[in-house]
Amino acid sequence: AAAVSRRRVLAATGIAGVAGLAAAGGAVARDAFAQDAAPAADAVAFRGAHQAGIVTAAQDRLHFAAFDVVTRDRDHLVALLRQWTAAAARMTAGQAAGGSGAVGGPAQAPPEDTGEALDLPPAQLTLTVGFGASLFRDAAGRDRFGIAAHLPPALAPLPHFPGDQLRPELSGGDLCVQACANDPQVAVHAIRNLARIGFGTVSLRWSQLGFGRTSATTRAQSTPRNLMGFKDGTANLRAEDGALLEEQLWVQPGDGPQWLAGGTYLVSRKIKMLVETWDRTSLAEQEAIFGRTKGSGAPLTGRDEFDRPDFAATGADGRPVIAPEAHVRLAHPDQHGGARMLRRGYHFVDGSDGLGRMDAGLFFLAFQRDPRRQFVPVQRALARSDVLNEYIRHVGSAVFACPPGVRDAGDHWGRTLFG
Ligand code: HEM
């Protein structure tokens, strides 16, 4: 049904090259009408109290985009957010993007969908929006769109961490859209069409393709492995965590600006892995670095993946079995007043560096109720002592406030902020 819906739009625009589809004709179009109302089998609901793409079972593919707003006109920005919302609702249902294109209009105008997802199902596409601090105030501190008073204190810039090698062209952004799907073409199509609709109002600042989820976000999902070969996401927050999600993930009404209640904060970090160095490191050393075994993912003090690490246990030599500088010890909630995050990252391989090394790593994405209490202290501890640091470099960084979900057909991204 979804594929048919996308096709119908192109058929209506009469694009050359899909003449066959158009000719398949009336029957196809009628089917589409009959089925448009019913959600496709592999569609994720776009509307709800929270945005989709956060506790949604992590899909396999990512296209993440950060945009800068290039207009000074608040009305243009709000109009774009409305258009984006409508396009997102359609695309996540497997339909054409729509927007300012040519459906029903002159055939000389560009079509209102770029077309490459024409035959593809929704593939569990989710589109999740976030607002960066720079949307509220520019570098000179000026209120850009009359929303500076609503800047959440928790959206403060991250501090510099030891070892950071952040590149401005891979960092920051006024807006972000996280597109996740089980088909890379569906995720890329979604970002491309939002960028197309936003032409003249926003410009793409940086973007990242990702594959192979590096976490599990529901109990039904098995734990995947990261590019270092370790199970990643074992101790993650999950959709089923109920009250814990209110405590650790969702911004609560009393937390800060009311517009963000039911939303969350997203920290993105592009982390390169020095995979060639890693691959020459012994298995024992690799396991000591994480504090977990590579095969089962069990803590070095346990047998099964989900056994609780015993940080007090010592070996025959009297030293802790899980080293003081092991990643899971430093990142563990016990070290940070119980702070947890919902990690939802992806691998990246952006080709190679011309010197025989893969340009690969982890595009780390973590959702949380307050980065000042969660990401920042954990990353501070990791940056200071984690033995993993020898094998990784943080090269990109951004923080976004992700508003609550779009509730109904009259609602749109940013409504609670812009009114
Ligand atoms: C746990 C890998 C960066 C926070 C883990 C685990 C692995 C891992 C294999 C154990 C399994 C699990 O519970 O998920 C990596 C790699 C990284 C990286 C390869 C960089 C390339 C980070 C960063 C943070 C972070 C930047 C946050 C600042 C955590 C947390 C846990 C964890 C909170 C769970 C600890 C626990 O509750 O036991 N990571 N990680 N990681 N990591 Fe990372």
Side-chain angles (χ1 to χ4, degrees):
V4 172
S5 302
R6 290 197 225 252
R7 284 179 186 181
R8 204 185 80 227
V9 170
L10 273 199
T13 56
I15 291 175
V18 287
L21 291 176
V28 171
R30 272 198 301 279
D31 272 349
F33 272 116
Q35 293 169 11
D36 264 353
D42 69 345
V44 175
F46 174 67
R47 298 189 179 91
H50 306 298
Q51 289 196 71
I54 301 168
V55 296
T56 306
Q59 303 91 324
D60 199 48
R61 302 294 184 134
L62 169 81
H63 192 189
F64 190 96
F67 295 90
D68 282 333
V69 178
V70 296
T71 181
R72 290 184 173 184
D73 186 326
R74 175 184 163 121
D75 293 342
H76 284 173
L77 173 58
V78 175
L80 173 66
L81 291 169
R82 285 177 184 276
Q83 276 187 300
W84 268 8
T85 308
R90 284 192 290 266
M91 290 191 287
T92 52
Q95 297 163 10
S100 53
V103 165
Q108 296 89 325
E112 60 162 42
D113 187 284
T114 52
E116 72 274 26
L118 197 57
D119 307 307
L120 302 175
Q124 298 194 324
L125 173 68
T126 54
L127 292 165
T128 313
V129 78
F131 304 133
S134 55
L135 185 70
F136 295 77
R137 286 187 191 283
D138 65 15
R142 282 182 297 252
D143 186 352
R144 293 178 67 189
F145 299 105
I147 52 172
H150 304 299
L151 174 68
L155 194 58
L158 297 178
H160 171 85
F161 298 103
D164 272 359
Q165 297 185 6
L166 303 182
R167 292 167 43 190
E169 73 277 17
L170 300 175
S171 302
D174 296 337
L175 298 170
C176 76
V177 181
Q178 171 196 269
C180 296
N182 287 324
D183 181 329
Q185 187 139 331
V186 169
V188 170
H189 167 266
I191 293 294
R192 178 178 173 195
N193 278 272
L194 295 179
R196 175 184 60 79
I197 292 168
F199 183 76
T201 307
V202 292
S203 85
L204 195 57
R205 180 180 173 88
W206 56 270
S207 76
Q208 183 65 53
L209 282 179
F211 67 98
R213 62 186 169 88
T214 62
S215 60
T217 53
T218 69
R219 299 251 170 259
Q221 286 188 302
S222 60
T223 315
R225 290 179 187 273
N226 60 33
L227 287 183
M228 290 174 157
F230 278 75
K231 288 194 179 178
D232 206 336
T234 302
N236 205 17
L237 281 180
R238 315 235 176 180
E240 296 84 355
D241 282 341
L244 197 54
L245 297 182
E246 299 302 324
E247 186 191 304
Q248 301 284 338
L249 177 64
W250 304 121
V251 173
Q252 300 297 308
D255 281 358
Q258 198 54 35
W259 68 267
L260 195 56
T264 183
Y265 293 91
L266 170 60
V267 174
S268 76
R269 303 282 286 186
K270 181 167 184 171
I271 310 175
K272 281 197 183 194
M273 290 176 178
L274 311 182
V275 288
E276 292 77 15
T277 316
W278 179 257
D279 294 344
R280 291 194 297 267
T281 305
S282 74
L283 176 62
E285 173 72 13
Q286 292 186 359
E287 293 184 332
I289 287 170
F290 285 111
R292 288 184 175 272
T293 54
K294 198 166 188 175
S296 68
L300 293 182
T301 53
R303 282 208 359 247
D304 295 320
E305 182 191 344
F306 295 101
D307 287 349
R308 240 189 106 74
D310 178 357
F311 295 115
T314 48
D317 58 2
R319 296 216 291 250
V321 178
I322 298 178
E325 314 79 23
H327 184 75
V328 294
R329 181 191 289 270
L330 294 167
H332 197 270
D334 287 359
Q335 308 280 330
H336 306 285
R340 311 270 307 267
M341 286 170 251
L342 187 130
R343 287 172 285 144
R344 212 177 185 286
Y346 288 85
H347 317 311
F348 68 86
V349 177
D350 296 347
S352 50
D353 69 356
L355 300 167
R357 291 181 299 227
M358 284 171 77
D359 187 353
L362 168 66
F363 187 65
F364 175 93
L365 293 169
F367 294 91
Q368 58 217 280
R369 182 172 164 189
D370 186 341
R372 297 170 302 178
R373 220 172 37 79
Q374 294 164 284
F375 178 84
V376 170
V378 175
Q379 178 55 20
R380 200 170 262 142
L382 293 176
R384 195 183 303 129
S385 331
D386 193 354
V387 269
L388 185 61
N389 291 334
E390 208 179 316
Y391 305 92
I392 62 174
R393 300 284 178 268
H394 287 241
V395 296
S397 178
V399 194
F400 300 97
C402 303
V406 170
R407 287 177 178 269
D408 52 45
D411 197 2
H412 64 87
W413 279 342
R415 182 190 52 81
T416 58
L417 174 58
F418 290 97

